[in-house]
């Protein structure tokens, strides 16, 4: 069903198939059947995580990153800056939970960014070095966040009495 929606969206609206598949996936995730599918797929979560890192890793061209090394630092720095902004907003609005865990989870480069990045490369506005640096930064920050989220314990809240 998702592939049919993606194909129809790509043909009718003239958008790339990857973008149409992303939108179709968003729409289908709202259906009650999606909850059942998530329960069925849960045992395979770790396998999918490994496949994700392998897939992203194969797209990174180390030589291109080495030709433009500053971009990797820029992208990692932007993720760190995004995390700091999220922590500040979290503190400002008193969001319950672990501030840094929330920030680490929300600051990541998302999968939709890979679609946009691919469109930028196809349009010639993003270089191979920038693309590889963004993918490498995504993989590095996601791996670091898995460890980092466990490093920040829950701060006990003051009891109201």
């Amino acid at each position: 069903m998702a592939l049919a929606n993606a194909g129809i969206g790509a043909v009718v609206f003239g958008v790339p198939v990857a973008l149409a598949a992303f939108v179709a996936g968003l729409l289908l995730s709202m259906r009650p059947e999606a909850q059942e599918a998530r329960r069925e797929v849960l045992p395979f979560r770790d396998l999918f995580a490994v496949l994700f890192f392998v897939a992203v890793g194969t797209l990174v061209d180390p030589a291109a990153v080495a030709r433009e090394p500053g971009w990797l630092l820029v992208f990692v720095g932007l993720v760190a800056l995004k995390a700091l902004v999220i922590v500040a907003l979290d503190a400002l609005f008193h969001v319950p939970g672990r501030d840094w865990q929330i920030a680490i989870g929300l600051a990541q480069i998302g999968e939709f960014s890979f679609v946009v990045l691919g469109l930028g490369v196809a349009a010639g506005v993003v270089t191979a070095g920038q693309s590889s640096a963004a993918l490498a930064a995504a993989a590095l920050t996601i791996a670091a966040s898995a460890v980092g989220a466990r490093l920040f314990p829950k701060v006990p809240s003051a009891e109201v009495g």
Side-chain angles (χ1 to χ4, degrees), residues 23-90:
V23 172
L26 283 177
L27 293 174
L28 290 174
S29 70
M30 295 181 219
R31 298 188 48 89
E33 293 87 1
Q35 186 69 19
E36 177 63 28
R38 279 191 280 280
R39 277 195 298 275
E40 295 289 329
V41 174
L42 190 60
F44 300 102
R45 182 180 59 187
D46 293 337
L47 174 65
F48 290 144
V50 168
L51 287 174
F52 171 78
F53 278 107
V54 169
V56 170
T58 60
L59 296 173
V60 175
D61 180 8
V65 175
R67 281 192 302 273
E68 301 179 52
W71 284 109
L72 180 60
L73 295 174
V74 166
F75 290 126
V76 170
L78 287 173
V79 171
L81 179 63
K82 187 176 170 184
L84 291 173
V85 169
I86 292 168
V87 166
L89 290 172
D90 184 86

Side-chain angles (χ1 to χ4, degrees), residues 120-144:
V121 170
V125 295
V126 176
T127 67
Q130 292 167 334
S131 173
S132 287
L135 292 169
L140 289 172
T141 57
I142 291 170

Side-chain angles (χ1 to χ4, degrees), residues 102-127:
I102 292 169
I104 288 170
L106 291 176
Q108 296 308 308
I109 298 172
E111 293 85 359
F112 185 67
S113 298
F114 299 156
V115 174
V116 174
L117 187 65
L119 293 173
V121 170
V125 295
V126 176
T127 67

